Amino acid sequence: MKNDKRGRKVFFTVALVLLFAGGLTAGYLYLSLGTGLQREQEKPSAAQVAQEVQGSSPLKIYYPVNGYLQMEERVVTPMILTREDAARATVQEFLKGPAGMLDPSIPPDTRLLGTYFGADGELFIDLSDAFRRNFQGDALTEYLLLRGLYESLLSNVSGIKDVRLLIDGNEIETIGGHMLANVPLGRELITNSPQSTGVSNAANGISNGTGPE
Amino acid sequence: MLLRKILMNKFLSAFIVCFAFMTLWAQASGAAASPGNTVVVDAGHGGYDAGIVYNSPDGMQTNEKDADLRIARAVISTLRAAGTEAFATRPVDRYMDISQRARAAQAKSPGLFLSVHLSSTGAFNIYVTSLPQDQTDPGQFYLYSNRQRPYIGESRDFASALEQSIKQAFPNVSVLYTEIPLPLLDMIGAPAVMLECPSPAYLNYRDPAVAGRIAQAVAGAVRAYEK
Ligand SMILES: [Zn+2]
């Protein structure tokens, strides 16, 4: 009888301890997950960050990634005040390559040598020879490299009609042997083909694995 | 009576001579006027432009320009063996710019044009050009960009035949079809396709049998297209 009473006491004590521990764990999990979700929902865009952080500007950069163009928002400091600043910052961010990529198709060690605005709305981008020398890739890689640079500049620099490329101050015929580099990029790269007119969908791998029929 | 017989014989002889001459002439001019028989094969890169450079784990280096040339030569000899006229834009290891390649191809009045390159991936890529926008623009920047326009449908047909033929020859390898603007193809006044063969990481181009297999697939596609 006495043993029975003692056993029940132990049982209730253990049950109380377990209930308390369970409550603590559930509370912890609720708080940590809840705030995590909240944090995710409240994650501001690059543009919002740029507005809040005084002296910085958001840029849209189009990178060639696995046969497609992928847009990334980048925030740069100091604040972009002129078109020259915008052109320079855009190219510099483009040359850094996409975030977290080990093997980007952007030719490594390329330096921006200068940016010039032509009288007819053409923007000249002068890059070091590494852009040509270190390019490794096929026709689609070269197309996306040039298209990504072109789309990035058109998105961030106001009032330009087209983009022209210089290597060490000179026009050269080609970067990788498949595309022309001595013509306005927009007129070469933008075509009537429904498969290659947009950006997200075109520069867009365009490969569908099926024939033209 | 005798006179009539002699005259008849003369007429007959003249007719036979004329007939034989006309037949030979028609045959000869027919061959020359039928560029459908001529295939121009362009090996990509060359000279100081090595194209894709691949260093294999055994320490060997494969340059795209050499693999392109090996494949192009194999395609040309396979086509010639089958009785098709075939020429190279770049028969040796030397640099040619894009316009020079187009001029070399156009000089042969090709019935088909194939540019051979390597892909960055393990797939075969088949490209047809996507024509540039402003065809009426007086400041047109490609000297020859209108040349491909009338042939774009036939280029797609040849691409389709090539895709089928390669899929049969390499059943375990992906074959991707892509349309992007490609200036060399724009400059060609004939059905024109670019073929990129898998990266040297996936096919050993030091083995001549590999180029031979690709050449057989291309020759099969040319036959199927011409049918
Ligand atoms: Zn190539």
Side-chain angles (χ1 to χ4, degrees):
Chain A
M1 191 68 180
K2 207 175 178 183
N3 271 351
D4 218 29
K5 212 175 171 182
R6 208 172 141 190
R8 214 180 294 164
K9 209 173 174 183
V10 169
F11 172 78
F12 277 119
T13 314
V14 170
L16 258 174
V17 168
L18 281 175
L19 206 70
F20 182 69
L24 272 180
T25 314
Y28 172 76
L29 283 174
Y30 171 77
L31 282 174
S32 59
L33 280 179
T35 49
L37 284 173
Q38 220 173 3
R39 243 178 261 138
E40 197 59 42
Q41 282 162 0
E42 284 172 2
K43 197 175 173 183
S45 71
Q48 285 169 318
V49 169
Q51 277 170 2
E52 283 163 21
V53 181
Q54 233 186 5
S56 63
S57 305
L59 293 173
K60 285 181 178 170
I61 310 290
Y62 293 85
Y63 295 109
V65 178
N66 299 327
Y68 294 85
L69 280 191
Q70 183 176 290
M71 196 272 280
E72 277 184 31
E73 279 194 320
R74 294 280 172 95
V75 178
V76 294
T77 49
M79 184 101 161
I80 289 170
L81 297 172
T82 65
R83 293 201 307 162
E84 282 79 4
D85 288 347
R88 217 172 299 127
T90 300
V91 178
Q92 273 158 353
E93 286 303 312
F94 180 79
L95 293 175
K96 285 178 188 168
M101 285 281 291
L102 288 174
D103 184 25
S105 344
I106 315 283
D109 305 324
T110 305
R111 285 178 299 110
L112 173 65
L113 303 178
T115 58
Y116 317 98
F117 286 89
D120 46 1
E122 283 183 337
L123 169 62
F124 288 77
I125 301 295
D126 188 4
L127 299 174
S128 66
D129 188 53
F131 194 67
R132 177 197 61 79
R133 201 178 55 245
N134 295 341
F135 173 81
Q136 279 286 301
D138 55 22
L140 184 61
T141 312
E142 186 175 355
Y143 168 75
L144 291 175
L145 174 72
L146 299 180
R147 180 85 187 253
L149 181 60
Y150 169 81
E151 296 292 349
S152 302
L153 285 163
L154 253 74
S155 297
N156 300 309
V157 186
S158 60
I160 55 168
K161 287 183 183 157
D162 215 324
V163 176
R164 295 190 77 128
L165 211 56
L166 301 173
I167 299 294
D168 281 345
N170 301 304
E171 278 191 346
I172 65 163
E173 200 217 21
T174 183
I175 298 298
H178 315 98
M179 309 295 303
L180 291 176
N182 56 358
V183 295
L185 295 185
R187 289 172 71 187
E188 177 182 25
L189 305 173
I190 311 297
T191 69
N192 288 327
S193 164
Q195 289 170 307
S196 60
T197 45
V199 176
S200 56
N201 173 36
N204 41 49
I206 305 161
S207 294
N208 54 17
T210 59
E213 283 178 326
Chain B
M1 191 67 186
L2 187 71
L3 187 71
R4 200 185 293 168
K5 207 175 174 182
I6 290 168
L7 275 174
M8 198 64 176
N9 277 345
K10 274 193 174 172
F11 267 120
L12 259 174
S13 312
F15 177 76
I16 289 166
V17 169
C18 281
F19 179 78
F21 176 76
M22 289 303 283
T23 311
L24 284 172
W25 182 78
Q27 255 187 350
S29 62
S34 166
N37 292 331
T38 304
V39 180
V40 172
V41 185
D42 171 57
H45 309 280
Y48 68 81
D49 173 14
I52 292 171
V53 177
Y54 173 71
N55 294 300
S56 63
D58 63 4
M60 298 294 282
Q61 183 175 293
T62 304
N63 292 328
E64 181 187 350
K65 62 172 185 172
D66 301 324
D68 294 348
L69 188 58
R70 188 165 283 178
I71 297 164
R73 281 176 176 162
V75 169
I76 288 169
S77 56
T78 307
L79 288 172
R80 282 181 180 166
T84 303
E85 267 195 305
F87 297 100
T89 53
R90 173 172 85 79
V92 292
D93 180 18
R94 74 179 175 97
Y95 180 77
M96 283 180 90
D97 67 30
I98 292 173
S99 310
Q100 284 173 325
R101 289 169 196 272
R103 277 197 296 274
Q106 286 295 110
K108 299 291 180 191
S109 305
L112 274 180
F113 176 83
L114 178 73
S115 185
V116 179
H117 286 256
L118 295 191
S119 142
S120 301
T121 68
F124 281 95
N125 295 327
I126 297 174
Y127 298 92
V128 164
T129 193
S130 170
L131 293 168
Q133 252 174 353
D134 302 311
Q135 290 304 305
T136 50
D137 185 345
Q140 190 131 342
F141 60 94
Y142 290 158
L143 192 51
Y144 306 112
S145 63
N146 277 325
R147 280 195 176 148
Q148 179 56 200
R149 188 162 289 271
Y151 298 95
I152 197 75
E154 291 168 64
S155 297
R156 289 181 180 134
D157 290 344
F158 178 46
S160 184
L162 193 57
E163 185 179 356
Q164 296 309 316
S165 190
I166 288 176
K167 276 180 176 168
Q168 275 175 9
F170 296 85
N172 300 321
V173 183
S174 327
V175 185
L176 302 175
Y177 174 77
T178 304
E179 288 191 16
I180 51 173
L182 286 167
L184 174 58
L185 303 190
D186 287 343
M187 296 175 189
I188 302 294
V193 165
M194 182 185 282
L195 170 67
E196 284 181 345
C197 302
S199 145
Y202 299 86
L203 281 183
N204 178 12
Y205 293 100
R206 294 197 299 274
D207 176 1
V210 170
R213 268 177 80 195
I214 295 171
Q216 289 294 342
V218 172
V222 170
R223 276 195 303 277
Y225 170 77
E226 284 182 344
K227 265 183 202 165

